[in-house]
Amino acid sequence: MAEKKATKKAAAPKEAAAEKKATVKKAATKKAAVVINAENVGFKAGDVYQALATAEKALSVAEIAKAAKISNEEALLGLGWLLKEGKVADAEGKIALA
């Protein structure tokens, strides 16, 4: 009987370790939430504007995000701000300064 108890106790730490690994993987795959407030969106709009001004040509959303070193979601927030102000326009499916 002593052997069975020892086997059960030895199995428990392995299961706990497997659960921890699963939790770590889930946490690592979650994206950081985009903070949506006027100040943050305004800064992202500035990043987008600077990326377009530096490129001096029309860029896709992914290209803007890469050039500005922000996420696609943040690039879209900034673009929305700039579109509302009339600073950017559509140019054959890409975004260019107006």
Side-chain angles (χ1 to χ4, degrees), residues 11-94:
K14 289 180 183 178
E15 291 172 5
E19 288 179 22
K20 283 185 181 179
K21 286 181 183 178
T23 304
V24 170
K25 286 182 182 178
K26 287 180 184 177
T29 59
K30 289 184 180 179
K31 289 185 178 181
V34 177
V35 178
I36 300 176
N37 58 37
E39 183 179 14
N40 189 44
V41 176
F43 282 123
K44 299 310 171 193
D47 294 340
V48 169
Y49 190 91
Q50 290 301 320
L52 287 168
T54 302
E56 298 180 349
K57 64 178 183 175
L59 300 173
S60 69
V61 174
E63 292 169 332
I64 293 169
K66 185 176 178 181
K69 297 178 184 171
I70 58 177
S71 69
N72 284 351
E73 292 83 6
E74 292 170 326
L76 289 170
L77 282 172
L79 282 170
W81 181 292
L82 294 171
L83 281 167
K84 179 70 174 168
E85 290 185 345
K87 304 280 185 184
V88 295
D90 179 47
E92 300 174 10
K94 294 188 176 187

